[in-house]
């Protein structure tokens, strides 16, 4: 599959990469659109200090499920998007519902 890879600051390359093996509980998504956000721009320009290169920018996306491995909640053909926010669920901010 093709992916836009950020190898280093200001070094973007469209590459053919190998698809990862679909692990239990995972789905494969055919990406239809991608947004580039502020953190992507800072990574591209080298101004986001915790970026570990190489990366594939574009964590804001939408697409269609094309393959499923052992999950019952979703179906092939279903339109999906991602919630790119990771949170611990334990700190005072998370417990108050402020996961940003």
């Amino acid at each position: 599959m093709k992916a836009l890879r950020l190898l280093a600051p200001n070094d973007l390359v469209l590459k053919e990469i190998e698809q990862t093996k679909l692990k239990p509980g995972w789905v494969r998504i055919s990406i239809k659109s991608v947004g580039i956000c502020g953190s992507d721009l800072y990574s591209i320009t080298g101004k986001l200090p915790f970026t570990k290169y190489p990366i594939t920018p574009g964590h804001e996306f939408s697409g269609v499920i094309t393959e499923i491995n052992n999950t019952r909640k979703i179906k092939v053909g279903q339109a999906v998007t991602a919630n790119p926010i990771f949170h611990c669920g334990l700190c005072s901010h998370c417990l108050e519902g402020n996961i940003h």
Side-chain angles (χ1 to χ4, degrees), residues 39-60:
S39 62
D40 292 323
L41 291 175
Y42 283 116
S43 291
I44 291 167
T45 59
K47 296 178 182 173
L48 194 63
F50 54 82
T51 302
K52 292 184 170 78
Y53 303 97
I55 64 168
T56 303
H59 56 267
E60 297 177 356

Side-chain angles (χ1 to χ4, degrees), residues 4-90:
L4 184 65
R5 299 286 288 161
L6 178 58
L7 305 178
N10 299 305
D11 186 7
L12 286 162
V13 178
L14 186 61
K15 293 181 75 169
E16 190 70 32
I17 64 171
E18 187 176 327
Q19 284 188 344
T20 58
K21 183 178 177 187
L22 206 58
K23 296 179 183 178
W26 283 23
V27 300
R28 189 167 319 278
I29 300 169
S30 174
I31 302 300
K32 302 299 181 189
S33 63
V34 177
I36 301 297
C37 79
S39 62
D40 292 323
L41 291 175
Y42 283 116
S43 291
I44 291 167
T45 59
K47 296 178 182 173
L48 194 63
F50 54 82
T51 302
K52 292 184 170 78
Y53 303 97
I55 64 168
T56 303
H59 56 267
E60 297 177 356
F61 63 88
S62 63
V64 176
I65 296 173
T66 57
E67 190 177 348
I68 297 173
N69 187 352
N70 297 331
T71 184
R72 298 180 190 143
K73 297 178 183 178
I74 51 181
K75 298 181 175 159
V76 169
Q78 184 175 343
V80 293
T81 189
N83 179 358
I85 299 169
F86 293 98
H87 58 280
C88 71
L90 302 173

